[in-house]
Amino acid sequence: MRVRINRWKRFGLFVLSGLLLSWAIACTPGTGSNSGQPASGTSEVEFWTMQLQPQFTDYFNSLIATFESENPDIKVRWVDVPWSAMESKILAAVSAKTAPDVVNLNPNFATLLASRNAWLTLDDQIPNEIRQQYLPNIWKASTLNGTSFGIPWYLTTRISIYNTQLFKEAGIDQPPSTYAELAQVAQQIRDRTGKYALFVTFVPGDSSEVLESMVQMGMQLVDEQGKAAFNTPEGRAAFQYWVDLYEKGLLPREVLTQGHRQAVQLYQAGEIAILGSGPQFFKTIAENAPSIAAVSAAAPQITGETGKKTAAVMNLVVPRDTDVPEAAVKFALFVTNDQNQLSFAKDANVLPSTLQALQDTHFQTLPADASQIDRARMISAEDLKTAEALIPAMEDIQQLQRIIYDNLQGAMLGQQSVDQAVTNAAQQWEARN
């Protein structure tokens, strides 16, 4: 169990699990709020978001003004926190019992504090008929041991962005939809172009994309008691898949030492053919590599035999120590209702987490002059119907990723067999402190 404060500093997955969303909404860091003390007889809700100013300042000022007009007994003070500072700020605030009343986090980091009883339990605060308005698989991302600690907000699914020119040079007509197809495509692209199909990182503290792929291939990470559940034929097959690609020279050697940013750079340089990202990344490609953007197209997320798709989620949590729990929950539900989710999703080019908002034509119908971002949004929205957070909400998830990646690297480098790697990983997980 992670109980010492200094070990929180090594929680890299806090940033990485929200990586797709950071591309979607990242903007200039800054802080701001609706200043002023609440009038006598009113409640004040302090609301923290992650790096949404200045791009969405007008949106939130309008949102808060509307809420306050409908609820004259509640005032909202908005504070925007830089992405890189949120972990330390909210940890310090929770420890000092000075946390805000509503906080924008991602489920992975929020889970760490949920395990310490930091958040208000929402099951007895939010009626079932309201909970059912949200995508059920996405709601589960903010639950721990069957208890809800967060309300889903904005999200995205990973799609495949691929270089049509490299595919053409390799004689490939369609992008792969499964990992089995990906292995074939990787060999063909390498043989005919000398380049790589993809770059996925195996750096333990970086992206969880490989861990998610293993779940998609049918590997179960842990059982209901949190014990290792991957020392199985499915687990060994998932390990073997990545070992084979590496040993065949179908992955750059740097996958063992470089993080996900390297994949972005290589794609923009035309050195890899496929990048797993969010629809919003098309804009980044257009700005940084116009020639690559001109030959880029979108395809559904690659998956395994399970057909599972992954989603990156942002949620709202209410600290247990809030002195205005009813007002805080009311405001959090207002921010995430159908109308406001739809409005924010359109502004931020992300996806909503409510069923009704997702049915809007914005996510269902392509305009006549559809751009690649439009097409990518349709694909992403379609995948969202079955997408879920594939990495379980559990306190030591980053430790599990490190153990699996370390042993997987050992097998990729020929230092141990796949069977040894899986067995060792399971034993190390069970023996953790």
Side-chain angles (χ1 to χ4, degrees):
M1 299 292 291
R2 290 181 175 265
V3 296
R4 290 174 293 177
I5 295 297
N6 63 341
R7 296 183 71 181
W8 288 80
K9 296 179 181 179
R10 297 199 294 269
F11 183 54
L13 290 184
F14 164 58
V15 174
L16 292 161
S17 67
L19 186 59
L20 299 180
L21 294 173
S22 71
W23 281 332
I25 61 169
C27 51
T28 304
T31 59
S33 65
N34 289 352
S35 60
Q37 296 297 318
S40 177
T42 64
S43 301
E44 181 182 79
V45 172
E46 185 171 331
F47 172 46
W48 284 15
T49 57
M50 281 196 291
Q51 203 158 313
L52 297 179
Q53 289 188 3
Q55 187 174 353
F56 303 105
T57 298
D58 291 344
Y59 171 84
F60 283 102
N61 284 341
S62 176
L63 179 83
I64 291 169
T66 300
F67 178 80
E68 291 178 342
S69 69
E70 296 177 1
N71 301 274
D73 58 335
I74 304 175
K75 296 297 179 184
V76 178
R77 185 162 70 91
W78 174 34
V79 178
D80 193 56
V81 180
W83 181 274
S84 60
M86 178 60 92
E87 176 184 355
S88 59
K89 283 183 176 292
I90 192 59
L91 179 58
V94 167
S95 299
K97 297 187 182 298
T98 59
D101 304 293
V102 179
V103 190
N104 166 208
L105 294 174
N106 68 57
N108 285 338
F109 183 69
T111 298
L112 288 177
L113 286 173
S115 67
R116 289 161 174 75
N117 207 30
W119 311 130
L120 190 69
T121 298
L122 298 177
D123 294 314
D124 55 357
Q125 300 284 333
I126 302 175
N128 187 55
E129 58 266 25
I130 293 180
R131 291 202 300 271
Q132 290 178 346
Q133 295 173 9
Y134 298 83
L135 293 159
N137 284 345
I138 302 304
W139 185 276
K140 291 178 184 177
S142 296
T143 63
L144 181 64
N145 299 325
T147 300
S148 303
F149 63 80
I151 303 171
W153 190 13
Y154 61 93
L155 42 91
T156 189
T157 62
R158 182 188 302 132
I159 62 168
S160 294
I161 300 175
Y162 66 102
N163 186 316
T164 59
Q165 182 61 39
L166 284 180
F167 269 67
K168 182 178 179 180
E169 292 175 11
I172 303 171
D173 296 328
Q174 298 291 332
S177 61
T178 67
Y179 285 105
E181 292 175 1
L182 175 61
Q184 298 173 355
V185 165
Q187 186 70 65
Q188 196 164 333
I189 287 176
R190 188 67 176 152
D191 289 344
R192 298 191 182 183
T193 72
K195 298 185 177 182
Y196 294 98
L198 76 161
F199 182 107
V200 290
T201 180
F202 296 82
V203 174
D206 206 273
S207 168
S208 61
E209 184 175 357
V210 169
L211 199 63
E212 291 168 338
S213 77
M214 299 172 102
V215 175
Q216 291 172 313
M217 293 178 195
M219 185 179 93
Q220 183 180 350
L221 296 176
V222 296
D223 61 20
E224 293 181 357
Q225 287 72 45
K227 296 185 177 297
F230 53 84
N231 193 357
T232 62
E234 292 82 6
R236 288 187 287 275
F239 271 64
Q240 190 70 59
Y241 178 88
W242 291 112
V243 170
D244 287 346
L245 256 62
Y246 186 80
E247 289 182 341
K248 292 177 181 178
L250 303 182
L251 293 172
R253 296 309 182 199
E254 294 79 14
V255 296
L256 302 183
T257 57
Q258 298 295 316
H260 183 78
R261 290 185 182 276
Q262 181 70 4
V264 174
Q265 295 173 2
L266 289 174
Y267 185 83
Q268 292 182 154
E271 294 300 318
I272 61 173
I274 306 170
L275 178 69
S277 185
Q280 305 79 11
F281 194 64
F282 275 101
K283 182 178 180 181
T284 303
I285 301 173
E287 292 173 351
N288 296 337
S291 61
I292 299 299
V295 296
S296 292
Q301 182 181 149
I302 296 172
T303 187
E305 293 182 359
T306 66
K308 291 182 176 181
K309 303 290 181 71
T310 186
V313 184
M314 281 291 175
N315 63 12
L316 296 180
V317 295
V318 176
R320 181 173 293 275
D321 291 328
T322 178
D323 56 0
V324 288
E326 291 184 4
V329 171
K330 189 172 189 178
F331 178 68
L333 290 174
F334 178 79
V335 173
T336 62
N337 69 24
D338 289 317
Q339 180 181 346
N340 291 326
Q341 284 235 31
L342 179 59
S343 178
F344 185 70
K346 288 181 177 180
D347 283 355
N349 200 17
V350 291
L351 296 173
S353 62
T354 62
L355 292 162
Q356 184 174 326
L358 192 60
Q359 294 305 309
D360 187 81
T361 55
H362 181 71
F363 305 107
Q364 302 296 326
T365 306
L366 277 175
D369 57 345
S371 65
Q372 286 295 346
I373 291 180
D374 293 327
R375 294 186 176 90
R377 183 177 65 249
M378 296 298 104
I379 292 170
S380 188
E382 180 64 27
D383 281 351
L384 187 57
K385 293 178 181 178
T386 58
E388 58 187 302
L390 296 180
I391 306 303
M394 52 186 290
E395 183 181 1
D396 292 340
I397 188 60
Q398 74 276 21
Q399 187 177 357
L400 178 59
Q401 176 171 316
R402 179 172 295 278
I403 289 171
I404 289 177
Y405 280 29
D406 281 344
N407 282 281
L408 182 54
Q409 280 203 24
M412 293 165 75
L413 291 171
Q415 298 169 350
Q416 58 182 344
S417 69
V418 166
D419 285 347
Q420 290 173 327
V422 175
T423 300
N424 289 342
Q427 290 175 346
Q428 289 169 23
W429 173 249
E430 297 305 328
R432 73 192 189 285
N433 56 4

